[in-house]
Amino acid sequence: MPDHRAMDLTDDRPVYVIGGGPGGLAAAAALRERGVRAVVLEKSESVGASWRGHYDRLHLHTTRRLSGLPGLPMPRRFGRWVARDDVIRYLEKYAEFHELELVTGVEVTRIEPAGDDWLLHASGGRRLTGRAVVVATGHNHTPRLPDWPGRDTYAGELLHASAYRNAAPYAGKDVLVVGVGNTGAEIAVDLVEGGAERVRLAVRTMPHIVRRSTAGWPAQRTGILVRRLPVRLVDRAGDLVGRISVPDLSAQGLPRPDTGLYSRVRQGAIPVQDVGLIEAVRSGRVEVVAAVESFDDSKVVLADGSHLTPDAVVAATGYSRALEPLVGHLGVLDDRGRPVVHGGRAPRQAPGLYFTGFTNPISGMFREMALDARKIAKTLAR
């Protein structure tokens, strides 16, 4: 891959794309296809940095055919559910195939308007001027660890899921996984299959669990079909399908949620795609316990008042987008720190500023980033 770090990047006011993950690469490729110069600025030394940091067994929960980015399908040899390492290979090949102008080792810290242009403040004292900016720094940007009372003096092992790689260090150990999103569910299953002696899963909000695929039909396709339907209708259909396809796990501590599946999606909570959790909970190999409230020396205190003393605690408690230092002063974020618009629309108060990859849609993140990329390129090519 060509190294463009020695280039003068301010010569012709390019479109700057911040972030060399799938969203940023897709936007840059779509812009290049329309004849618009795009320069990708990536703070790490390679593309797909967040994917390189994920746990070993991770696969896309969306199908290969529906996860390709503009201009380059994912190879059939990757299989239906693409593994983490193959996603990384694909992103590397994608940047090379499209001959993207990629600058690594440069972190953008602040964006501000400069007349009709945008001024980017970056590491090393760089000041870069572009005619537009696409922010693609990622949904999973900064690990979020709750400020539990007693956390800082906890004597046991506590790590965020971003630091978990595989079950090998936990063979024969008692592990508590906190959080039952897709990451927590999959890590719990990984620990069971990897030889942990005991695995417990601390749950605060009961999740919707869906089969990743039913009779060959992937859940993603259903997500695509129902996106534009009324929320109440999808909630009812989701409840019916859930009762047919997913067993009642109330006796094991995972009752069905009392809010609709699509209502939760609209609030940002994606259903858990089953990659073994249902059977692990039903068989008792993963024990469901109450939410974590605090830490007390070497003990974990749960919401029901019980105490645990696990060998390790893995906090699958999510990430923050951490956009405030970059664009918080521009009035383009909502009260939860999310961009107020995405895709081909720029905020009214910030024309020329675009966002991609900050939603977690039921139809698949890679697919939506590909759609966003084409919309952004179409807008900027006018």
Side-chain angles (χ1 to χ4, degrees):
M1 187 182 300
D3 186 346
H4 300 283
R5 278 178 284 190
M7 295 178 59
D8 176 9
L9 300 177
T10 61
D11 57 354
D12 63 348
R13 298 166 56 250
V15 173
Y16 282 108
V17 179
I18 306 174
L25 298 180
L31 285 163
R32 180 180 173 87
E33 184 181 30
R34 286 182 173 266
V36 178
R37 184 187 175 205
V39 177
V40 180
L41 304 175
E42 167 55 46
K43 70 177 181 180
S44 73
E45 293 302 320
S46 54
V47 301
S50 65
W51 274 89
R52 295 173 192 276
H54 287 315
Y55 49 93
D56 294 349
R57 73 172 281 153
L58 178 64
H59 285 66
L60 282 177
H61 289 164
T62 54
T63 65
R64 169 186 55 79
R65 292 185 63 184
L66 294 174
S67 301
L69 301 178
L72 186 67
M74 288 188 171
R76 291 189 64 179
R77 69 178 182 276
F78 286 176
R80 193 180 201 196
W81 311 105
V82 182
R84 180 202 65 180
D85 289 350
D86 285 332
V87 171
I88 295 167
R89 293 186 187 99
Y90 172 71
L91 296 178
E92 291 172 341
K93 180 64 177 178
Y94 191 83
E96 179 184 344
F97 177 82
H98 287 291
E99 299 181 333
L100 299 183
E101 200 167 334
L102 175 65
V103 185
T104 59
V106 174
E107 181 176 8
V108 179
T109 55
R110 184 179 172 89
I111 305 168
E112 56 189 37
D116 292 334
D117 294 331
W118 287 92
L119 177 65
L120 286 68
H121 298 267
S123 53
R126 296 174 177 86
R127 293 165 63 89
L128 309 172
T129 303
R131 70 180 185 91
V133 178
V134 180
V135 180
T137 48
H139 192 273
N140 294 346
H141 186 275
T142 302
R144 183 174 63 237
L145 197 62
D147 190 19
W148 289 299
R151 187 193 77 185
D152 294 339
T153 56
Y154 177 57
E157 180 184 356
L158 170 63
L159 67 151
H160 188 269
S162 60
Y164 177 90
R165 292 294 170 268
N166 55 60
Y170 308 101
K173 293 187 176 182
D174 180 345
V175 186
L176 173 67
V177 180
V178 184
V180 69
N182 277 294
T183 297
E186 191 156 2
I187 287 176
V189 173
D190 193 48
L191 286 163
V192 165
E193 294 177 354
E197 181 179 356
R198 187 176 192 181
V199 179
R200 285 174 282 198
L201 184 60
V203 178
R204 183 175 300 277
T205 304
M206 294 303 154
H208 284 278
I209 304 174
V210 299
R211 300 287 186 181
R212 187 170 65 173
S213 180
T214 303
W217 179 266
Q220 181 190 8
R221 287 200 178 275
T222 302
I224 294 169
L225 291 174
V226 305
R227 276 200 79 185
R228 308 295 180 192
L229 295 178
V231 173
R232 191 180 292 180
L233 176 64
V234 181
D235 280 348
R236 285 201 295 263
D239 181 64
L240 177 62
V241 171
R243 290 180 185 279
I244 294 171
S245 63
V246 177
D248 184 2
L249 299 173
S250 299
Q252 290 79 27
L254 270 185
R256 300 186 193 279
D258 54 10
T259 53
L261 185 151
Y262 202 32
S263 294
R264 292 271 288 274
V265 168
R266 296 291 288 269
Q267 296 166 7
I270 293 297
V272 172
Q273 296 216 17
D274 178 48
V275 291
L277 181 68
I278 292 172
E279 183 53 37
V281 170
R282 188 161 56 174
S283 66
R285 294 189 300 160
V286 169
E287 304 168 50
V288 178
V289 297
V292 170
E293 284 295 302
S294 62
F295 291 85
D296 181 11
D297 190 23
S298 60
K299 296 176 181 154
V300 182
V301 183
L302 303 183
D304 61 5
S306 60
H307 294 66
L308 307 179
T309 53
D311 296 313
V313 178
V314 180
T317 46
Y319 297 79
S320 64
R321 298 165 186 84
L323 288 169
E324 287 79 7
L326 190 66
V327 297
H329 55 288
L330 299 173
V332 297
L333 304 178
D334 66 16
D335 56 3
R336 294 171 62 185
R338 303 172 302 182
V340 294
V341 296
H342 66 92
R345 296 171 55 207
R348 187 177 58 229
Q349 67 272 38
L353 182 63
Y354 301 88
F355 296 89
T356 183
F358 296 101
T359 60
N360 196 6
I362 196 171
S363 51
M365 186 176 285
F366 270 58
R367 179 180 181 273
E368 293 303 316
M369 287 189 290
L371 295 174
D372 278 355
R374 293 187 175 99
K375 291 173 184 175
I376 292 168
K378 183 177 179 180
T379 300
L380 286 174
R382 287 172 182 165

